[in-house]
Structures are given as structure tokens and as C-alpha cells.
Amino acid sequence: MTDSQLQAIAQHHGRSVYVYDAEKIESQYNRLTQAFGAVPNLRLNYAAKALTNISILKWIHHLGCGLDTVSLQEVDLGLKAGFEPQQIMFTPNGVSLKEIEAVAQKGVQINIDNLSILEQFGSRYPNIPVCIRINPHVMAGGNTNISVGHIDSKFGISIHQIPHILRIVENTAMHINGIHMHTGSDILDIEVFLHAAEILFETAKQFDRLDFIDFGSGFKVPYKPGDIETDIEELGEKLSARFNQFCQEYGRELQLIFEPGKFLVSQAGYFLTPVNVVKQTTSTVFAHVDSGFNHLMRPMLYGAYHHIENISNPEGKKRFYTVVGYICETDTFGSNRQISEIKEGDFLAFHNAGAYCFSMASNYNSRYRPAEILWHNNKAHLIRKEESFEDLVQNQVELEFNTVEEVS
Ligand SMILES: *Cc1c(COP(=O)(O)O)cnc(C)c1O
């Protein structure tokens, strides 16, 4: 989207708002599909947790994508958005057997990531096929908050526990129809990814009734100007060839699955927010925006970088600003950023605001979560209204206290 399109939406809306570019989601989807075009049976399952607005889910469904979910509620949202149960995968971490049973009853593919639940589920439902999440102990990326495949990670069943998995499968006569890994975000080194894939292929040979192998996600997208991203085309070419070769060895054409979240929606999103106050201090110039980590928490949560631009004055002279929010504790979006000169009332645009931004928003400080807009066919469509005071209080139960009578 262009600055002037964003500026027009900002002016019209007048308040903090998320904007998503439907065509950018589509082009990312096509890019990934084409990169793995050599695989006869490819499936992409969008990781819903990145951005769960129902209109986004409908758009992604319309593109032909499946859905990866981590909670019963995400499964229900997916079903409501029109996904068939067979198009949905449930990949939770450490949830109750009860939740897994509830999802399995809907006909959704279950992915189990620990031996305890595997044994319990297999004993009760030997006829429901399950996928197992393997931890290949490969360190992907440098951020331990979002790197989930390393040895200390709570995710997946260790490859060192394969003998135990096999014993459970034998004892329960359950059917393992897929194996899965998700090594976390920020895969830059394709060789590391291919190495993890080899571990998964080795594991796959232990199971003779597989229908698919799921390689998770972790594609790195650019955040800063000049950032490097995962070379999807190179990965696609190398992994596709190796996957097809593996299917021959395995004796069966398997489905290759990926679960991109960020890759599909991160760059499609912009968070627009007006500047309330420009405050010169002795050390810096603060731009106080009409928002905070209640709307966009990644910078405070993981030190994530979001590129910030002044869309009201894109050609202005660059100055240094520290962009902060209105929350009553440290709430910094970006320190010492070079941004075109900011006047109070200007709108700033935060880039890469499609993934893990709105979906992590809260009502902290009793603020409303903002509206969301989908930009599609050169038109802005409102896909979520800004919250109201009613929304803040609707589930609260107000007690009435009688005035205590004074003892005379
Ligand atoms: C979060 C998650 C994803 C998506 O990760 P991205 O980095 O957003 O692509 C994929 N698979 C699983 C199991 C996840 O938990």
C-alpha cells in the first residue's frame, strides 16, 4: 500500500487503527506455493494465531490455504470462517486431554507433542489418526523467545524418545499419520533447516503409515530496511527436490505441509496511530502516540523492531525521535529513530503489523482495542469495530454494597 492510501484511511478513521493489505497476503501465499511448485502434494496451513480476524481467515481460506490452530477457540473460528475440519490442523502445546478430545470430535487433525497425552489419547481412540510433533533439537535463529526447537525447549517430543513413541504406538495400536516439527522463527540459514528436515526424514522411516510431513514454519521476513529474509525460492528448490526423493525412498507420495504465520501476514499489516504530543527533553525528542503496548506489544515483549514512518509528512526533513505510548509504565516503540519531522496530529505508520500485533492486544489501562480494516480491491473494508465502553464492562459482574450504618 502507498503512504497516501494509508494517510487517507488514517484521516478518515481519525484514531489508531490496523490496516491489512489483502493482495499482499495473496502475493506471499503465491510466492510460497510457487517456491514449492515441484512438490506434487503441497499444503499450506496458515498459523491462525498470527492474526485471527474472521475476515482475514475467510480471505486466506478463499486463497486455498488450510489452517493451523493452537486452541479450541481458533478451531471454532476457522470452522466459522468456512474451513472444513479436514483443512484444519490442531497443534497445541501442553493443553488438556479434554481439549484435544473436543477438537478431535470435530474431525480436525490432531498433532500431539508429549508422550503422556500420546499414550492416553492412543489408548482411548486407537482409530483416530494423529500426527506427532518432534523436537529435532536444532537451534534456529538467535531469539530464544521464539526459537522453539532447541534442547531446552518445551515444544515437541525429543528425537531421543522415538523408541518410547514406538512402544506407545505398538501398545495402543494407534495410527500415526503425520510427523511435524516447528523450529521457531527466524530461519536464515537454509542449511540448518535442511539439516532439521533430514532428522525428520530419518524419523519418518520409523512410521509406515504416514500421509504427510509437516515442516512447521519459521520463515524470516524483513523488518528493517535492508534486512535479510529467508530465501524461500532457494529453500523451495532444495527442499522440494529432497522431499520428492524421500517420498520415493518411502514408497509413497506424501503431502508436504508448512504452517506460515508471519510470512503470510506480517508485511501485509500497518498500524496507524496519531501523535498526541511532541515533547523535547534534555536528551531526546519524544513522540507520544495515541496508543501503547496494549495495542502493539512486540517491541516491549521481545524487543521487536517495527519500522516507523510519518505518513502525514513523508517527504519532511528527517529528525531523531523516540516513539513512546501512553501506557503508565515504560512503553517504547522505537528509540532514536530517524523519522520525517513530526507535528502533533500527524499519523505514524508502524510496518510489519500484520502478525502477532492485534492478536496480542489487550485492554490494559482500560483502553479499547482498535478497529481493523482490510484493504481489498482498492477499497477499505471495516473488519472490526473499535471497542466501546460496553465491551469493557459486559462480562463484569457489579456487586451492590449496602451503605454500612454507623453505630451511634
Ligand atoms: C506460531 C506457530 C507457527 C507460525 O510461526 P510463524 O513464525 O508466524 O510463521 C507455525 N506452527 C506452529 C506450531 C506455531 O505454534
Side-chain angles (χ1 to χ4, degrees), residues 45-50 68-70 91-93 111 133 146 148 155 180-182 184-186 214-220 258-265 355-356:
N45 289 337
Y46 166 59
K49 74 179 188 288
D68 191 75
T69 57
V70 294
T91 308
N93 174 243
N111 190 347
R133 179 170 183 170
I146 49 179
V148 294
F155 299 96
H180 167 269
M181 71 172 187
H182 172 63
S185 273
D186 292 1
D214 185 332
F215 292 94
S217 179
F219 307 120
K220 186 168 164 47
F258 277 114
E259 308 158 348
K262 256 184 210 165
F263 185 82
L264 292 183
V265 298
Y356 309 105

Side-chain angles (χ1 to χ4, degrees), residues 154-285:
K154 67 169 183 153
F155 299 96
I157 304 171
S158 166
I159 34 158
H160 305 304
Q161 292 175 313
I162 303 283
H164 200 150
I165 299 175
L166 292 172
R167 204 155 62 236
I168 291 172
V169 170
E170 197 184 309
N171 292 343
T172 59
M174 69 190 300
H175 174 187
I176 303 298
N177 68 341
I179 54 171
H180 167 269
M181 71 172 187
H182 172 63
T183 54
S185 273
D186 292 1
I187 297 166
L188 267 183
D189 190 342
I190 287 175
E191 296 309 316
V192 173
F193 194 86
L194 292 172
H195 171 65
E198 285 308 320
I199 295 172
L200 217 54
F201 291 139
E202 266 319 297
T203 309
K205 289 183 192 159
Q206 312 280 323
F207 301 91
D208 51 13
R209 295 163 74 195
L210 296 183
D211 297 319
F212 63 88
I213 300 182
D214 185 332
F215 292 94
S217 179
F219 307 120
K220 186 168 164 47
V221 297
Y223 276 79
K224 288 190 183 97
D227 246 7
I228 21 173
E229 58 180 318
T230 309
D231 188 338
I232 292 292
E233 286 70 27
E234 185 189 347
L235 180 66
E237 198 182 314
K238 290 188 172 164
L239 185 60
S240 298
R242 179 64 188 106
F243 184 81
N244 290 339
Q245 183 196 2
F246 175 76
C247 289
Q248 289 216 318
E249 291 167 31
Y250 189 76
R252 184 148 166 217
E253 191 183 284
L254 299 173
Q255 186 172 55
L256 189 162
I257 303 180
F258 277 114
E259 308 158 348
K262 256 184 210 165
F263 185 82
L264 292 183
V265 298
S266 176
Q267 296 162 89
Y270 301 86
F271 179 58
L272 312 181
T273 184
V275 176
N276 290 336
V277 179
V278 177
K279 181 177 186 175
Q280 174 86 55
T281 66
T282 43
S283 56
T284 187
V285 184

